[in-house]
């Protein structure tokens, strides 16, 4: 069951499953140039020297000039079986939303913690309108609902529900209560709602009970963001008091319940991204005075940031992301999540279009997890489907680490076939889990123009070479080509690495080796500061990687090629 962390008070107990603090711990035990140089220093700050460095070209931090080339999004493939998870059991209500998905390499299993429930009171589970279920899959497509029996619902335990409002105590000890500001206008949602975002495996748990951590919201009686923890990802313990209440939480007119928790291993910091309503206050943290705030005329959604060393003391609260004057006026940032690919952050912005009430997913990137740059602003990375389609509202949800298997990235998102303002779901209106996939590092590409536009080039800013082997994630079409030249910081070709000496890259692969006639690698450039100049015709370049180890070519199968004109023969000339 879920207990509330307590000092001297008894934990809440389920009707048939009785687990006090000692019992919980027993379960726990059983579960037993400057921009580029800055990025390189950030990498070097990790616990161990990185063995590879990948640049995704999502922003211009490394790019000096790109005559004839432009950045284009590489939209993931929506799976033909979407939604891959949808309500089909007595305990799953009208929707299932993938609030966290991860791939457990040790168990060789996809694991998903999903919000489920219903807007119709006749479908509530013992009064619970929103709650968490746990599902697993061997391949990311066929999902099992393990019958966990964590708590009794409608007198039954043959279900996958692991977290409900009833499983969190409504009363807390005085110390925790002193840290909680109760709104003067308590939110009264339809039914009881409790859920958690961002399940993360703790890299250094202080005890077995913290093997997994997450962000919990108990919407009907506990306003604010709470830390939840678990020994096994199934039995959860919710902290008694929220660690973050916003002015909006305390005003009582709504709930800023969309958020993300992740751990930045390079900085050894916990990070929270949290939705806020800045019209209520410029402050990120609420106070008792917010209890008397009046409603505002428009709730413009935005996101804030905070960080912690230990999940208890949180600092550096700041406003980080919202739609701005370069966006259409009828758009809002509905939800945001991100994760790290090497030293770069990929952020997924679920953008709400007020006019037609649809939601699509757009892309952002960051070098520090705080300052985000929009990638191909305004273009959806995952577009919403047409009206009535399963993902008319598409929301990215959380993957605190990329879900990647065999060089394929699995991106799960919440998909609903209704307008945001549709009210309680009607027959045929439902929400499920949709899947989009793309090949490793292929978020966007630097791509050449139309034939006849002349030779295209991409020139980098100066950077230090720390690894001997250089690879390009790239593709060409219609006998196109890429040749790579190494230059000094003052633009002079380096002997042995000039463009005439470069081998020609052709075809579609994740790891084209970059070679020169007299140099099979970039080994002799290690320790030097250089520029790279890419000579491109009918080609697109997604990423470059410097690595200590040698890599296979990894040709891309036809299903993932950007167009049918792509060269089928991947080779060096």
């Amino acid at each position: 069951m879920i207990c509330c962390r307590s000092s001297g008070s008894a934990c809440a107990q389920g009707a048939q499953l009785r687990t006090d603090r000692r019992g919980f711990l027993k379960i726990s035990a059983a579960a037993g140039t400057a921009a580029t140089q800055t990025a390189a220093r950030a990498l070097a700050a990790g616990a161990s020297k990185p063995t590879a460095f990948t640049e995704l070209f999502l922003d211009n931090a490394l790019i000096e000039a790109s005559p004839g080339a432009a950045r284009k999004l590489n939209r993931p493939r929506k799976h033909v079986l979407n939604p891959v998870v949808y309500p089909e059991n007595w305990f799953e209500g009208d929707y299932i939303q993938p609030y966290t998905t991860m791939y457990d390499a040790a168990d060789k299993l996809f694991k998903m913690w999903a919000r489920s429930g219903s807007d119709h009171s006749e479908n509530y589970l013992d009064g619970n309108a929103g709650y968490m279920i746990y599902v697993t899959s061997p391949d990311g497509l066929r999902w099992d609902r393990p019958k966990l029996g964590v708590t009794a619902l409608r007198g039954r335990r043959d279900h996958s529900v692991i977290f409900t409002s009833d499983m969190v105590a409504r009363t807390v000890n005085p110390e925790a209560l002193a840290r909680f500001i109760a709104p003067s206008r308590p939110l009264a949602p339809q039914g009881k709602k409790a859920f958690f975002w961002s399940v993360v495996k703790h890299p250094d748990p202080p005890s077995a009970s913290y093997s997994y951590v997450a962000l919990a919201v108990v919407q009907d009686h506990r306003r604010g963001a709470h830390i939840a923890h678990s020994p096994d990802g199934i039995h959860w313990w919710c902290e008694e008091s929220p660690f973050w209440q916003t002015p909006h939480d305390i005003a009582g007119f709504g709930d800023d319940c969309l958020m993300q928790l992740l751990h930045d291993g390079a900085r050894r910091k916990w990070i929270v991204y949290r939705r806020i309503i800045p019209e209520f206050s410029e402050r990120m943290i609420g106070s008792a005075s917010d209890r008397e705030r009046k409603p505002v005329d428009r709730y413009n959604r935005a996101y804030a940031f905070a960080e912690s060393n230990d999940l208890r003391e949180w600092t550096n609260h700041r406003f980080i992301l919202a739609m701005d004057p370069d966006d259409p006026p009828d758009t809002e940032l509905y939800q945001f999540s991100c994760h790290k690919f090497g030293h770069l952050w990929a952020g997924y912005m679920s953008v709400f279009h007020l006019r037609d009430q649809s939601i699509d997913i757009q892309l952002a990137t960051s070098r520090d997890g705080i300052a985000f740059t929009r990638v191909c602003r305004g273009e959806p990375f995952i577009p919403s489907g047409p009206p009535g389609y399963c993902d008319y509202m598409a929301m990215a949800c959380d993957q605190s680490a990329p879900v990647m298997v065999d060089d394929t990235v699995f991106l799960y998102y919440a998909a609903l076939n209704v307008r945001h303002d549709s009210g309680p779901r009607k027959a045929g209106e439902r929400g499920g889990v949709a899947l989009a996939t793309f090949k490793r590092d292929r978020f966007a590409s630097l791509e050449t123009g139309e034939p006849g536009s002349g030779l295209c080039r991409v020139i980098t800013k100066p950077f230090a070479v720390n690894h001997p082997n250089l690879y390009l994630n790239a593709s060409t079409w219609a006998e196109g080509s890429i040749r790579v030249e190494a230059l000094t910081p003052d633009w002079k070709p380096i002997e042995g690495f000039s463009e005439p000496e470069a081998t020609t890259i052709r075809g579609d692969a994740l790891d084209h080796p970059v070679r020169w006639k007299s140099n099979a690698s970039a080994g002799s450039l290690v320790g030097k500061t250089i520029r790279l100049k890419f000579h491109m015709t009918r080609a697109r370049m997604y990423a470059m990687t410097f690595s200590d180890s040698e890599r296979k070519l990894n040709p891309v199968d036809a299903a993932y090629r950007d167009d049918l004109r792509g060269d089928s023969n991947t080779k060096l000339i």
Side-chain angles (χ1 to χ4, degrees), residues 130 150 159 263 277 289 423 558:
V150 171
H159 58 74
H263 186 263
I277 309 296
S289 64

Side-chain angles (χ1 to χ4, degrees), residues 374-550:
R374 309 281 290 279
V375 182
C376 298
R377 178 189 287 270
E379 296 182 33
F381 184 58
I382 300 179
S384 60
Y389 192 66
C390 71
D391 63 353
Y392 186 67
M393 286 200 297
M395 188 172 68
C397 296
D398 286 352
Q399 294 173 186
S400 296
V403 177
M404 186 163 60
V405 181
D406 296 330
D407 286 328
T408 298
V409 178
F410 290 69
L411 187 60
Y412 294 92
Y413 61 99
L416 289 88
N417 63 357
V418 297
R419 291 167 55 96
H420 185 273
D421 63 356
S422 64
R425 305 287 179 259
K426 303 178 180 65
E429 296 180 342
R430 66 177 184 177
V433 179
L435 169 63
T437 58
F438 58 100
K439 302 307 288 186
R440 166 173 52 85
D441 297 338
R442 293 195 165 191
F443 291 95
S445 61
L446 297 179
E447 189 165 323
T448 60
E450 293 299 319
S453 61
L455 187 65
C456 304
R457 298 174 176 86
V458 173
I459 305 100
T460 71
K461 296 175 183 176
F463 65 93
V465 178
N466 296 312
H467 311 278
N469 300 298
L470 174 58
Y471 299 93
L472 285 189
N473 187 332
S475 64
T476 65
W477 64 91
E479 298 299 308
S481 65
I482 303 175
R483 295 163 72 87
V484 183
E485 182 175 28
L487 310 175
T488 63
D490 57 355
W491 301 74
K492 295 178 181 178
I494 298 175
E495 185 177 354
F497 296 91
S498 66
E499 188 268 337
E501 298 172 282
T503 56
T504 300
I505 292 172
R506 181 167 292 158
D508 196 348
L510 301 179
D511 294 291
H512 290 282
V514 177
R515 296 171 181 165
W516 298 263
K517 292 176 182 177
S518 56
N519 287 284
S521 74
S524 62
L525 298 177
V526 171
K528 297 180 179 180
T529 297
I530 68 167
R531 297 178 186 266
L532 286 179
K533 185 175 184 179
F534 302 93
H535 301 254
M536 305 166 62
T537 59
R538 296 181 297 283
R540 54 179 63 92
M541 183 169 58
Y542 303 93
M544 72 172 185
T545 296
F546 280 91
S547 175
D548 287 345
S549 60
E550 295 185 359

Side-chain angles (χ1 to χ4, degrees), residues 356-379:
D356 63 11
Q357 298 286 299
S358 65
I359 298 177
D360 59 31
I361 299 170
Q362 300 181 18
L363 195 62
T365 189
S366 175
R367 299 273 165 166
D368 59 6
I370 298 175
F372 281 86
T373 300
R374 309 281 290 279
V375 182
C376 298
R377 178 189 287 270
E379 296 182 33

Side-chain angles (χ1 to χ4, degrees), residues 14 28 57 100 166 192 221 329 335 406 465 499 511 513 539 561:
S28 303
F57 300 121
T100 304
D166 293 331
K192 295 175 288 188
H221 68 273
Q335 183 266 345
D406 296 330
V465 178
E499 188 268 337
D511 294 291
R561 289 187 191 144

